[in-house]
Amino acid sequence: KGKGKGPQGRRITLKVAKNSMRVLFNGRRRLELSKMGIAVFPKCLLELADVEEIDLSRNMLKKIPNIIEKFQNLMWLDLHSNQIDELPPEIGTLRNLTYLNLCNNKLTTKGLPEELTLLRNLRTLNLGLNCLESIPTTLGSLKELIELGLFDNSLTIIPKSVKKLPKIERMNVKRNPLPEFAKEEEPIDTIKRIESLYLVEKKDLCNSCLQTCQGERDELHKLEDMTPGPSEKPNFTSLTTPNSTAIDNQEEWRIK
């Protein structure tokens, strides 16, 4: 542990990093460093800065250093399930990024740099499960976005510029305190309610109105009569005869 720096996590050597390299079917090279107990971005990765993909998900990272700008070939970056509370402005230099997963971190609105909007090739951006109270309207400049995750935050508004992204197909905004969700959560009342109720005495009604009211009342009574009520006496025909100890108390025994 470094002085006053908290846990350093597992130290990743260049050898470990090289052994974690995978070549995908599309020819891209991915550094697979998920679930490795990493708390500090490994500097040795600079030796492999020409990779196209990095998976650092499910670690203990709190910060992404500005050296991230050295990874200019990056097209895919997965940082989900860490403890990241802010991104460096240098993230905006990774112009080839098409996929950025920041889900399940500790990002605040202040922790999103304006430079995020320079990632004009982004197709997938996941900011779900963070601590965002608002999102910058400038995210509307990410015109290539197809998928945007904003679920499980503290958002009360989604900017129009973001709602109107031209290529968006999936936008998950569930579990945010958005006003449109408050309406949806009200129970839907399937019973038809009376819109107006007038209380009048018989003597104040004309003949035709009185007949209409009495007719409707009779219809209601008919319905009530048709509704099967509980039978007065319990019927236990299918039960066997009680044994000798219960014979004296037959009715009570049957009910039990």
Side-chain angles (χ1 to χ4, degrees):
K1 287 182 183 181
K3 279 187 183 177
K5 284 189 177 176
Q8 293 295 295
R10 182 176 166 189
R11 190 167 173 269
I12 300 296
T13 61
L14 184 57
K15 186 181 178 183
V16 169
K18 280 181 175 174
N19 286 338
S20 74
M21 182 88 78
R22 303 284 177 271
V23 179
L24 308 179
F25 70 93
N26 56 10
R28 291 193 203 168
R29 294 156 302 159
R30 180 185 293 181
L31 277 172
E32 292 189 348
L33 296 165
S34 183
K35 292 183 282 192
M36 302 275 269
I38 302 166
V40 175
F41 190 91
K43 290 243 172 87
C44 68
L45 296 188
L46 284 171
E47 298 285 328
L48 306 166
D50 59 346
V51 295
E52 289 85 16
E53 304 195 358
I54 296 179
D55 182 359
L56 275 164
S57 64
R58 297 189 173 95
N59 281 297
M60 303 180 294
L61 291 168
K62 290 185 176 176
K63 296 271 181 259
I64 298 301
N66 53 13
I67 57 169
I68 196 72
E69 68 182 349
K70 303 288 183 192
F71 295 79
Q72 282 299 306
N73 288 345
L74 267 192
M75 301 172 79
W76 192 94
L77 179 58
D78 193 345
L79 297 166
H80 87 263
S81 305
N82 278 283
Q83 292 164 38
I84 301 162
D85 56 6
E86 64 175 352
L87 295 171
E90 286 78 8
I91 195 90
T93 66
L94 306 177
R95 303 295 171 87
N96 289 313
L97 266 190
T98 60
Y99 176 95
L100 179 57
N101 190 350
L102 291 157
C103 175
N104 193 21
N105 276 286
K106 295 185 175 175
L107 285 169
T108 60
T109 306
K110 280 183 183 174
L112 294 182
E114 280 181 34
E115 287 77 5
L116 196 61
T117 61
L118 299 173
L119 301 176
R120 298 294 167 87
N121 287 309
L122 268 189
R123 284 164 177 72
T124 299
L125 175 60
N126 194 342
L127 294 168
L129 279 162
N130 276 287
C131 312
L132 301 172
E133 292 184 352
S134 64
I135 48 168
T137 55
T138 47
L139 279 189
S141 61
L142 301 177
K143 304 293 186 193
E144 295 299 314
L145 268 189
I146 294 169
E147 194 167 12
L148 178 59
L150 297 170
F151 53 92
D152 293 283
N153 277 288
S154 302
L155 303 173
T156 52
I157 191 165
I158 306 294
K160 276 183 186 174
S161 61
V162 174
K163 282 182 179 175
K164 291 182 175 180
L165 281 163
K167 294 189 179 178
I168 203 85
E169 288 174 16
R170 291 176 295 279
M171 190 187 301
N172 188 344
V173 295
K174 289 177 182 175
R175 293 174 298 279
N176 278 288
L178 292 162
E180 54 257 45
F181 284 142
K183 287 176 196 166
E184 280 177 31
E185 282 163 17
E186 288 174 13
I188 296 161
D189 193 347
T190 52
I191 298 168
K192 194 177 180 184
R193 302 290 173 187
I194 296 167
E195 285 178 16
S196 308
L197 179 64
Y198 301 99
L199 297 174
V200 292
E201 290 188 35
K202 263 189 190 180
K203 63 183 176 62
D204 295 328
L205 288 170
C206 66
N207 268 345
S208 61
C209 291
L210 186 59
Q211 279 175 353
T212 306
C213 290
Q214 283 174 336
E216 285 181 6
R217 190 183 59 191
D218 293 342
E219 284 293 315
L220 197 62
H221 288 327
K222 269 187 208 168
L223 277 172
E224 282 171 359
D225 293 341
M226 284 166 68
T227 310
S231 54
E232 286 172 24
K233 248 191 171 181
N235 187 6
F236 301 105
T237 48
S238 60
L239 282 181
T240 52
T241 315
N243 60 22
S244 55
T245 54
I247 203 99
D248 302 333
N249 246 332
Q250 224 177 102
E251 191 66 14
E252 190 187 337
W253 178 87
R254 285 179 190 274
I255 288 168
K256 279 180 185 172

